[in-house]
C-alpha cells in the first residue's frame, strides 16, 4: 500500500469507525407494563442559609451586615480568601470582618455594647467640631435605572448630630439623598426611599453613606435597603424563576447550617431586632431576616410545600418539640400563641420534617456515633409526634452501617429515610453524565437489600428521600459553594431523573441541592438571574414528564431513554439523553402511537459540553420547544442532547395543554 493510499484508509477509519460502532438503537415501549407512579416529590428543592442562596440570592436585601454583627474598625479589611482543597476550588472571597468603612478620621466610630439595638453592639458615629463628614459607608451596590428602592434606618442620638444623611453616591458623582432632621433620644425607625433616574444605564459600585457633618453623636441600630418591587422581601426576578421551576417542596433551613441553628433567632417582630449571628457552619453572617414566617410566605408565593429540617446536632429535643408546636400547634398552645403574636394565628401544618442532617459526618455540628444517635432520633421523634401525630419525620441515612442501624433501631420513628449524593467531575463525558444515575441506583439497591435482610422492615415501606443530590465541583464563582453548571451536568441531571423513574418503587422524594447560587439551579448577580444549565432540565422534566413509568425493552446503546404515561393515560412522554459526541439513531416501536406522530418536542442541546448560562446574558443552554411530525422509527438524536417528546395516544388530548390542542386535533 503506498503512503497516500494508506493515509486515505486511515482517515476513513477515523471518521467512519464511530458511526459503525455506534450501531442503531432500537427499543419497544410497552404501555401495559408499568412501574409504580412517579412521586411528584422527586422534583423537590433545597435551600440553605449558606453563601448566596438565601441572602444575596433569594432575599432582596442589598446591604451586607445590616445589623452590625462585626465591629466597625478604622482599618477596613472585610475580605479573606479561602479555597476548598477537597473540592479543588480556586480561592474565593468571604466576608470575615465588617463591610462598613469609616468616613472620617480614626476614632470616628466606636461600638456601644451597653444599649445595642440588636446583637452584641451597635455603632456610634462621633461628629466632630470642625464639621467634617463622619460616618460609615458600603461601596458595592448595583442599582438599576428608573427603579425605586425602599428601606429604613433605625437611629438614636444627640439632636446636635442632625441632620443625619443617608446618601447613595454613584460613580459619576450624582447623589440621591435622605435627610433625617429630628433625631430621637430613643431608637426610632426612619423610612428610606430613593428613585434612580431612568435616563442613564445601570449603576455599579454605588456607595451608601450614613453620616453627619455636625458635632453630635448618633448610633445606628440597623439599616435595610431593597428594590421596591420585592415580594414580601423576596427578589421578584428569582421568585418568577421559582414559579417556572414549579418544585412541589422545599427543604429548609439546612444542611449543615441547621445543626447549629436556633429557630427562635429567626422569629419575632420587628425583623430588625432579630439578632445577627455568625453562620454556625459556613462563612458569613446570619442576619436572621429569614426565619419560619418568611420561609412559609415564600412557600405560599410559589405554591410549594414546606419541609423543615430540625436541629438534632447542637439543639435539644425540647427545642425541636417547641418548633413543631410553633409551626403546627393550635393558637391556644404556648408556641401557637407566640406564633399568633408574630402575625400568624393559623397553624402552618407542616407535614415533612427532616430530623437532623448528615449526623453521621465528623463535619456535622453535634455529630455522634450511630448507637447514641438512634436513641436521640427516637426520643426526638416521640417528642415531635406528641405535639403533632400527623407529621412525616424523615430520618438521617447514609447507606452502610449508619442506614442499616437506623433501619434496625429507629424504623418505627420515621416515614422516609434520607440519603445524600454529591458527585464531582469526570473527564470522560458519558462517564461524567452517568455518575448521579449510578449513585441513585446504588442507593435504591442497597435499600431493597435492607428490606430483605431486616426483619419486619419490608412491611413498613420506608422509602428514600434523596434530600440532597447534585454535582459539586469547580470554582466558587457565585460565592461560597457557588459552582457553575454546564451542558455535561445538565445531561447528568436528566439521566438522574431517568434513574429516579426506574426506581419509583422505593424513591419517594428528592431535593435538588440547591436552588440558588450555592450548587444551585438558578444563578444570580445583583440585578438579574437565570436558570443554570441543570436548572433547565429540572424545569423541563417537572413540567412535562409523565407520571406512570412504562417498560422499555431492546437496545438503547449509548442513549439513556425513559418513558411515562401522563396522569390521564392519554399521552406518553419519552425522553432521550445522548451524552456522546456523535448524533445517534434510535428506532422506537410504540404500537399505540403508530409510526408517524404529532408531538411536542423539547430539546436541550449544545455542541460544547462545557457551555453554561450566565445571569444577564441570553442562555447558552436553553430549552427549545417545537411542534413536530415525527417518525418514531427513524429518530436522530443530536450529540450532547436531551430530547423530550410528548405524544397523545390515539388522538386523546386530555393531558394536552389548551394551546397545544389545535395542533393535535387538526
Ligand atoms: O448542600 C451543601 C451541604 O452539603 C449541606 O449543608 C450538607 O448537608 C451537605 O454536606
Amino acid at each position: 500500500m503506498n503512503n497516500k493510499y494508506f493515509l486515505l484508509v486511515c482517515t476513513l477509519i477515523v471518521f467512519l469507525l464511530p458511526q459503525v460502532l455506534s450501531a442503531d438503537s432500537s427499543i419497544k415501549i410497552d404501555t401495559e407494563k408499568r412501574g409504580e407512579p412517579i412521586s411528584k416529590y422527586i422534583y423537590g428543592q433545597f435551600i440553605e442559609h449558606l453563601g448566596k442562596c438565601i441572602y444575596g440570592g433569594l432575599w432582596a436585601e442589598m446591604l451586607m451586615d445590616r445589623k452590625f454583627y462585626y465591629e466597625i474598625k478604622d482599618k477596613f479589611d472585610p475580605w479573606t480568601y479561602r479555597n476548598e482543597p477537597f473540592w479543588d476550588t480556586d480561592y474565593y472571597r468571604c466576608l470575615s470582618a465588617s463591610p462598613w468603612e469609616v468616613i472620617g478620621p480614626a476614632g470616628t466610630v466606636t461600638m456601644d455594647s451597653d444599649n445595642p439595638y440588636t446583637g452584641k453592639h451597635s455603632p456610634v458615629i462621633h461628629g466632630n467640631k470642625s464639621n467634617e463628614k463622619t460616618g460609615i459607608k458600603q461601596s458595592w451596590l448595583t442599582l438599576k435605572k428608573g427603579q425605586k428602592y425602599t428601606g429604613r434606618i433605625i437611629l438614636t442620638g444627640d439632636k446636635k448630630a442632625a441632620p443625619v444623611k443617608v446618601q447613595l453616591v454613584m460613580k459619576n458623582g450624582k447623589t440621591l439623598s435622605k435627610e433625617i432632621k429630628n433625631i430621637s433620644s430613643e431608637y426610632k425607625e426612619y423610612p428610606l426611599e430613593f428613585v434612580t433616574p431612568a435616563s442613564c444605564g445601570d449603576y455599579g459600585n454605588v456607595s451608601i453613606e450614613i453620616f453627619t457633618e455636625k458635632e453630635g453623636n448618633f448610633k445606628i441600630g440597623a439599616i435595610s435597603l431593597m428594590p421596591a418591587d420585592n415580594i414580601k422581601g423576596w427578589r421578584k426576578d428569582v421568585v418568577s424563576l421559582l414559579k417556572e421551576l414549579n418544585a412541589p417542596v422545599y427543604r429548609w433551613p439546612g444542611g449543615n447550617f441547621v445543626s447549629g441553628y436556633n429557630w427562635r433567632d429567626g422569629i419575632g417582630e420587628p425583623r430588625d431586632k432579630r439578632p445577627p449571628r455568625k453562620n454556625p457552619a459556613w462563612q458569613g453572617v446570619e442576619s436572621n431576616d429569614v426565619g419560619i414566617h418568611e420561609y412559609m410566605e415564600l412557600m405560599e408565593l410559589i405554591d410549594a410545600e414546606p419541609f423543615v429540617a430540625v436541629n438534632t446536632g447542637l439543639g435539644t429535643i425540647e427545642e425541636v418539640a417547641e418548633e413543631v408546636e410553633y409551626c403546627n400547634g393550635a393558637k391556644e398552645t404556648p408556641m401557637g400563641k407566640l406564633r399568633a403574636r408574630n402575625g400568624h394565628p393559623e397553624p402552618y401544618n407542616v407535614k415533612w420534617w427532616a430530623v437532623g442532617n448528615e449526623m453521621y459526618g465528623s463535619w456535622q455540628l453535634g455529630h455522634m456515633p450511630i448507637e447514641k444517635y438512634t436513641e436521640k432520633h427516637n426520643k426526638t421523634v416521640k417528642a415531635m409526634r406528641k405535639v403533632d401525630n400527623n407529621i412525616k419525620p424523615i430520618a438521617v441515612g447514609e447507606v452502610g452501617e449508619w442506614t442499616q442501624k437506623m433501619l434496625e433501631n429507629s424504623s418505627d420513628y420515621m416515614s422516609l429515610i434520607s440519603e445524600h449524593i454529591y458527585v464531582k467531575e469526570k473527564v470522560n463525558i458519558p462517564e461524567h453524565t452517568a455518575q448521579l444515575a449510578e449513585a441513585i441506583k446504588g442507593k435504591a439497591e442497597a435499600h431493597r437489600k435492607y428490606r430483605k435482610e431486616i426483619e419486619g422492615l419490608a412491611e413498613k415501606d420506608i422509602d428514600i428521600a434523596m434530600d440532597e443530590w447534585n454535582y459539586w465541583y469547580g470554582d466558587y464563582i457565585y460565592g461560597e459553594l457557588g459552582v457553575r453548571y454546564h451542558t455535561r451536568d445538565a445531561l447528568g441531571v436528566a439521566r438522574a431523573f431517568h434513574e429516579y423513574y426506574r426506581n419509583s418503587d422505593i424513591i419517594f422524594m428528592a431535593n435538588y441541592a440547591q436552588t440558588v447560587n450555592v450548587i444551585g439551579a438558578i444563578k444570580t448577580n445583583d440585578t438579574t438571574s437565570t436558570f443554570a444549565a441543570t436548572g433547565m432540565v429540572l424545569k423541563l422534566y417537572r413540567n412535562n414528564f409523565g407520571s406512570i413509568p412504562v417498560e422499555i425493552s431492546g437496545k438503547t446503546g449509548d442513549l439513556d431513554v425513559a418513558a411515562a404515561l401522563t396522569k390521564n393515560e392519554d399521552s406518553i412522554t419519552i425522553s432521550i439523553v445522548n451524552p456522546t459526541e456523535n448524533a445517534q439513531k434510535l428506532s422506537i416501536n410504540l404500537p399505540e402511537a403508530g409510526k408517524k406522530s404529532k408531538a411536542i418536542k423539547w430539546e436541550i442541546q449544545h455542541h460544547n459540553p462545557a457551555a453554561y448560562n450566565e445571569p444577564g446574558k441570553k442562555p447558552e443552554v436553553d430549552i427549545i420547544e417545537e411542534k413536530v411530525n415525527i417518525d418514531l422509527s427513524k429518530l436522530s438524536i443530536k450529540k450532547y442532547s436531551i430530547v423530550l417528546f410528548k405524544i397523545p395516544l390515539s388522538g386523546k388530548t386530555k393531558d394536552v395543554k389548551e394551546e397545544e390542542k389545535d395542533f393535535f386535533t387538526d
Side-chain angles (χ1 to χ4, degrees), residues 505-525:
D505 60 316
I506 202 157
I507 301 178
F508 180 79
M509 189 187 278
N511 303 74
Y512 183 81
Q514 302 186 8
T515 312
V516 180
N517 290 325
V518 172
I519 44 177
I522 290 169
K523 303 297 179 194
T524 69
N525 60 23

Side-chain angles (χ1 to χ4, degrees), residues 46 48 255-256 282 357-358 420 422 468 472 481 514 519:
F46 168 43
E48 178 168 13
N256 297 346
W282 305 100
N357 176 71
E358 293 186 352
H420 291 177
Y422 288 109
E468 289 186 34
W472 183 348
L481 270 66
Q514 302 186 8
I519 44 177

Side-chain angles (χ1 to χ4, degrees), residues 469-518:
W469 66 279
N470 205 352
Y471 285 96
W472 183 348
Y473 68 94
D475 291 341
Y476 292 176
I477 293 157
Y478 303 94
E480 198 176 7
L481 270 66
V483 304
R484 178 175 269 163
Y485 290 121
H486 311 83
T487 318
R488 56 179 177 256
D489 312 312
L491 296 165
V493 166
R495 297 188 69 174
F497 276 123
H498 291 191
E499 204 56 43
Y500 285 132
Y501 305 150
R502 290 192 270 263
N503 290 283
S504 58
D505 60 316
I506 202 157
I507 301 178
F508 180 79
M509 189 187 278
N511 303 74
Y512 183 81
Q514 302 186 8
T515 312
V516 180
N517 290 325
V518 172

Side-chain angles (χ1 to χ4, degrees), residues 247-313:
V249 66
Y250 278 72
R251 180 172 178 253
W252 170 89
N256 297 346
F257 172 80
V258 79
S259 299
Y261 177 57
N262 185 342
W263 64 271
R264 281 175 182 263
D265 285 345
I267 58 166
E269 294 297 330
R271 197 179 284 146
D272 296 332
K273 270 268 188 202
R274 296 183 198 160
R277 307 257 189 236
K278 169 78 188 63
N279 186 309
W282 305 100
Q283 304 303 308
V285 171
E286 171 54 52
S287 64
N288 281 308
D289 284 342
V290 173
I292 289 173
H293 290 259
E294 289 75 17
Y295 162 68
M296 293 298 175
E297 276 174 354
L298 178 66
M299 294 303 97
E300 205 180 312
L301 266 175
I302 60 175
D303 197 18
E305 287 176 53
F307 171 12
V308 177
V310 298
N311 181 347
T312 61

Side-chain angles (χ1 to χ4, degrees), residues 242-419:
L242 296 188
K243 285 186 178 167
E244 285 181 43
L245 197 60
N246 194 20
V249 66
Y250 278 72
R251 180 172 178 253
W252 170 89
N256 297 346
F257 172 80
V258 79
S259 299
Y261 177 57
N262 185 342
W263 64 271
R264 281 175 182 263
D265 285 345
I267 58 166
E269 294 297 330
R271 197 179 284 146
D272 296 332
K273 270 268 188 202
R274 296 183 198 160
R277 307 257 189 236
K278 169 78 188 63
N279 186 309
W282 305 100
Q283 304 303 308
V285 171
E286 171 54 52
S287 64
N288 281 308
D289 284 342
V290 173
I292 289 173
H293 290 259
E294 289 75 17
Y295 162 68
M296 293 298 175
E297 276 174 354
L298 178 66
M299 294 303 97
E300 205 180 312
L301 266 175
I302 60 175
D303 197 18
E305 287 176 53
F307 171 12
V308 177
V310 298
N311 181 347
T312 61
L314 303 181
T316 66
I317 294 172
E318 293 67 39
E319 281 163 5
V320 172
E322 283 177 350
E323 185 173 2
V324 177
E325 188 175 283
Y326 189 85
C327 290
N328 292 2
K331 59 178 184 288
E332 294 74 30
T333 61
M335 288 297 113
K337 253 187 215 148
L338 185 59
R339 183 191 64 237
R341 270 214 302 281
N342 288 330
H344 205 278
E346 289 313 308
Y348 289 116
N349 292 323
V350 177
K351 180 159 85 174
W352 308 108
W353 291 86
V355 186
N357 176 71
E358 293 186 352
M359 290 306 298
Y360 48 83
S362 55
W363 59 88
Q364 201 64 215
L365 295 164
H367 156 70
M368 62 189 83
I370 181 69
E371 290 73 19
K372 256 181 104 183
Y373 187 70
T374 49
E375 253 178 60
K376 183 166 188 184
H377 173 90
N378 297 354
K379 282 187 189 151
T380 307
V381 173
K382 254 191 220 163
M384 292 169 83
R385 283 186 176 148
K386 205 166 158 204
V387 178
D388 181 354
N389 206 21
N390 296 319
I391 59 165
K392 304 271 183 205
I394 301 179
V396 171
E398 166 70 345
V399 160
E401 196 203 356
W402 186 279
T403 289
Q404 175 152 352
K405 291 252 163 74
M406 285 297 292
L407 291 171
E408 280 169 1
N409 301 324
S410 301
S411 60
D412 287 336
Y413 299 94
M414 61 179 83
S415 298
L416 297 169
I417 182 157
S418 133
E419 294 284 345

